[in-house]
Amino acid sequence: MSEAESGAADAVSTSAYSSPAKSLGDPGITPLSPSHIVKDSDADDAVEQLFLVVVAIDFGTTSSGYAYSFTKEPECIHVMRRWEGGDPGVSNQKTPTTILLTPERKFHSFGYAARDFYHDLDPTESKHWLYFEKFKMKLHTTGNLTMETDLTAANGKKVKALEIFAYALQYFKEQALKELSDQGGSDFENTEVRWVITVPAIWKQPAKQFMRQAAYKAGMASPENPEQLIIALEPEAASIYCRKLRLHQMIDLSSRAPVNGYSPSDTIGTGFTQAKEHIRRNRQSRTFMVENVIGEIWSELEEGDRYIVVDSGGGTVDITVHQIRLPEGHLKELYKATGGPYGSLGVDYEFEKLLCKIFGEDFIEQFKIKRPAAWVDLMIAFESRKRAAAPDRTNPLNITLPFSFIDYYKKFRGHSVEHALRKSNVDFVKWSSQGMLRMSPDAMNALFKPTIDQIVQHLSDVFEKPEVTNVKFLFLVGGFAESPLLQQAVQSAFGSRCRVIIPQDVGLTILKGAVLFGLDPAVIKVRRSPLTYGVGVLNRFVEGKHPPEKLLVKDGTRWCTDVFDKFISADQSVALGETVTRSYTPAKPSQLVIVINIYSSEQDNVSFITESGVKKCGTLRLDLTGTDASVPNRREIKTLMQFGDTEIKAMAIDVATSKSVKVGIDFLNY
C-alpha cells in the first residue's frame, strides 16, 4: 500500500503494533448497526456450471488414488485403472505418494514408477535425484505454512512444497484426463471436469488453502473459476459413502448376527479373512455401484441419531461426529473435527526406533543418507509384514534386510548384523539364516501399541464430550482401518457403547465418498466453524470499560482502537451458505478508501486484534474515489462473510453507490 493510499484510508499498516492508538487504529470504520444474520439461499448468483464428470483425488500421506463418476450416471463410481508396479503382499488400487524429480529439478515420475526408477539408479547417480515420500504430513506439522515452505528430498536437498504438490496434482490430472479420453474415444477437456481433492478435517485453514493453490498451479481450476474445484474433508467424504452402505458391503465387528452370510459361530478373525477374500474377488471390477437409496444400516438411524466417523490413514487420524437430519438424510456436524498425527506412519517410526536400538542411531542415520534407495526397500519390506500383523497371529514375521544394509553395516561397524542382534538384548527380534529379521508377533504388536493407544485415548476423550452422547455407530475407515490390531482395539474399547462398522474396501471409502460429494456438495448442511472470525474496528471509548492505552482522540471524538468485532465463534454451527452481515461507517465521513481487515483466532472470546493468537487473514479494500459526492453524511458499508464451505468468502458493499469488493480469506500471504 503506497503512502498516498494509507493517507487516504486514514489507516495504518498493522505491522507496527507498538502503539496502535497513536494513529487511527486498524482500519477507520466503526459499527453502525446491531449485527444480524441472514440465511441467504441465493447467495451464489453464479450459474451452476454443468460438468460432465466428477473426479475425486484422495491425496494420502502414504498412498493416493482417484475415482470418477459421470454426472449422467451418478450411481456408477469408477476407480482408476490399475497402476504399473505394485508390491508383493499389498494389493491396492492406490499408488504410493512418492515423487521423483531429475537432478535438474524437473518432474520425472510418480508412485510405483518413481520408487522403482529411483531404486534402480546407481548409488553414485541416485544421490543427485530428488525423491520425496510421505510429504503430505508437512502441511499438518508446519505451524507457519506459507507459499515458500520447503520440503526436503531423501538426499537432503530442498524444494518448495507448492511445486511438489502441484507436480503431484498435475500428474493425477493428466492420468485421469487420459483415462477419460481413452474411455470416451475423444479428448476430454479439463473444463468438463469438476475436481474434488480430499484433505484431513483437522488441518488448519492455511493447509486447506495451500492445497487449493497447488491445484490452481496444476491447472485444475483457477482463481477466476474456483467452483471447478472442491476441497472436501476426508471424514465427511467417508460419512457420505457410509450412508449408502448395504449390509453385504460391511463388516459389523459387534454383531453376533451373520454378516455377509457367515454364521455367528465364526470368530471375528475368520470373519475378517472371509471378508478379505470377498474384497479380493471384487478387486477385479473397478466400477462400484452405489445404489440410489439409503443403505440398510442407515434405515435403522432415526432423525437426530448420532454416529462417529474415525478416518485413520497413513499420517493422521480424523474424527468427526455427525447427526442425521431427515427426511433427506442430510448431515449435520455436531462436534468440530478432532484428531492428530496418529496414522500408521507411527508404526513405521517405532520400527525405525527399534532398528536404532539394535544397530545404533548413528548407523541408521548414515545409512538413510548414503543408501536412500535401500532404506526405501527396507521400509517396503516392513510395510508388507506390517499388514500381516494380527491379534491372534502365532508364527513370526520375517523382514528381509537389503544386501546393502548388511554390507554397509559390516563396513561401518566392523562386525556382522547377526552379531549386533545377539548383542542388542532385544529379545523378540532374531536373525534368521536367510538374511532376515525374524520378529515375534508380540514384537510386531508392540510397534503398533503407541499409535493405537493414542487413537483409543483420543476417541475416549471425544466420547466424554456432552455433544457426543448416545452415539449409535462408529464407522472405522481409511487405510489404517484395514489393520486387525486397530479393529480389535477399537471394538474392545467402544463396542459396548456403539456398533463398530467397517466398510468393506475400507481404503477406498474416502475416494468414493468424495465422488458422491462432488456430485452433490450440498449434502452436508451444517458445519462447525474451526475458528473465530471478525474485523478490526473503532468503537466509541467508554471510560472504565476500555483500556486507556487503546484511547485515540480524533477530531474531538474519543475512540477505542483495535476492537475485534466478531462475526462468528469457533465451534459455532454454520449452515452451508450462511451469511453474516455487519454494517460499518467510516470514522471520518470524507474517507474515500475504506480498508477492512479480517482476523481469525482459535479462541472464542477475543476483544482486541492485538491479543496473542489473533491472525490477519484477509483485507477488503473498497475504493470510493470518483463516486458521487452527494453521499449521505453517514455512509453505510455493508460487510458480509459467507461460511459453511471449506472456503470462506467476504464482501464489502457501499450501500449508497452499490460499489462492492470481494475477497477470499487468505491464510498464506499475511
Side-chain angles (χ1 to χ4, degrees), residues 87-136:
D87 290 333
V90 181
S91 73
N92 63 2
Q93 300 256 209
K94 288 157 101 187
T95 185
T97 310
T98 51
I99 198 164
L100 182 63
L101 307 188
T102 65
E104 296 73 44
R105 297 177 176 244
K106 290 275 171 283
F107 175 80
H108 179 272
S109 47
F110 186 91
Y112 289 117
R115 224 180 52 186
D116 297 345
F117 185 91
Y118 181 60
H119 173 252
D120 294 341
L121 286 168
D122 188 80
T124 51
E125 271 186 88
S126 68
K127 62 172 185 269
H128 301 295
W129 287 67
L130 293 92
Y131 179 77
F132 297 86
E133 57 177 359
K134 300 171 188 159
F135 50 85
K136 179 181 163 192

Side-chain angles (χ1 to χ4, degrees), residues 207-222:
K208 293 175 186 168
Q209 185 188 335
F210 185 93
M211 216 49 165
R212 182 169 279 277
Q213 294 302 328
Y216 289 166
K217 196 172 161 71
M220 285 177 169
S222 63

Side-chain angles (χ1 to χ4, degrees), residues 421-432:
L421 273 160
R422 269 207 310 275
K423 221 178 68 209
S424 72
N425 17 326
V426 175
D427 339 334
F428 305 120
V429 185
K430 301 273 176 281
W431 173 247
S432 86

Side-chain angles (χ1 to χ4, degrees), residues 142 144-150 161-162 206 210 667-670:
T142 305
N144 50 349
L145 183 68
T146 68
M147 307 292 251
E148 303 301 309
T149 299
D150 284 326
L162 192 71
F210 185 93
F667 291 94
L668 294 172
N669 296 313
Y670 284 99

Side-chain angles (χ1 to χ4, degrees), residues 327-521:
E328 314 85 8
H330 283 141
L331 311 180
K332 172 180 179 181
E333 187 181 3
L334 275 188
Y335 180 69
K336 68 173 180 223
T338 60
Y342 322 131
S344 57
L345 282 183
V347 184
D348 300 359
Y349 177 65
E350 289 298 318
F351 178 60
E352 194 177 319
K353 282 201 329 209
L354 178 71
L355 291 175
C356 289
K357 202 165 151 191
I358 300 172
F359 302 108
E361 204 171 325
D362 52 347
F363 167 71
I364 296 295
E365 284 312 305
Q366 271 304 303
F367 180 69
K368 277 160 81 172
I369 295 164
K370 291 281 192 292
R371 300 277 188 276
W375 174 255
V376 170
D377 259 9
L378 177 55
M379 291 317 279
I380 292 168
F382 174 67
E383 181 66 32
S384 82
R385 300 331 297 144
K386 183 169 101 181
R387 287 167 184 265
D392 45 7
R393 190 181 173 105
T394 49
N395 50 337
L397 297 123
N398 291 325
I399 297 161
T400 310
L401 285 180
F403 172 73
S404 66
F405 184 97
I406 298 168
D407 184 52
Y408 193 69
Y409 184 76
K410 198 161 172 89
K411 285 190 182 125
F412 190 89
R413 284 268 189 264
H415 58 240
S416 70
V417 164
E418 196 178 348
H419 178 82
L421 273 160
R422 269 207 310 275
K423 221 178 68 209
S424 72
N425 17 326
V426 175
D427 339 334
F428 305 120
V429 185
K430 301 273 176 281
W431 173 247
S432 86
S433 52
Q434 298 91 20
M436 295 181 182
L437 287 181
R438 175 169 284 178
M439 288 181 82
S440 73
D442 288 353
M444 181 57 101
N445 297 1
L447 299 181
F448 279 80
K449 194 175 172 351
T451 305
I452 289 179
D453 286 353
Q454 278 181 306
I455 295 173
V456 169
Q457 180 55 53
H458 194 90
L459 261 171
S460 302
D461 296 347
V462 171
F463 268 107
E464 292 311 307
K465 301 280 183 277
E467 301 92 329
V468 190
T469 45
N470 304 330
V471 167
K472 256 199 184 171
F473 295 107
L474 186 156
F475 291 103
L476 195 54
V477 303
F480 195 21
E482 291 174 1
S483 158
L485 292 167
L486 178 61
Q487 292 171 355
Q488 190 199 40
V490 171
Q491 170 60 23
S492 60
F494 307 106
S496 56
R497 294 195 192 184
C498 56
R499 282 170 63 192
V500 178
I501 301 227
I502 301 173
Q504 260 201 0
D505 37 345
V506 61
L508 299 176
T509 309
I510 290 158
L511 203 43
K512 295 183 205 167
V515 173
L516 294 170
F517 185 52
L519 292 165
D520 178 18

Side-chain angles (χ1 to χ4, degrees), residues 19-67:
S19 172
K22 292 280 190 294
S23 62
L24 196 120
D26 171 26
I29 55 167
T30 182
L32 240 189
S33 61
S35 54
H36 51 284
I37 288 189
V38 274
K39 284 274 193 299
D40 191 359
S41 52
D42 40 72
D44 283 332
D45 34 15
V47 184
E48 183 58 38
Q49 278 171 295
L50 296 170
F51 298 103
L52 290 181
V53 69
V54 168
V55 180
I57 297 173
D58 177 2
F59 191 122
T61 305
T62 45
S63 63
S64 297
Y66 66 86

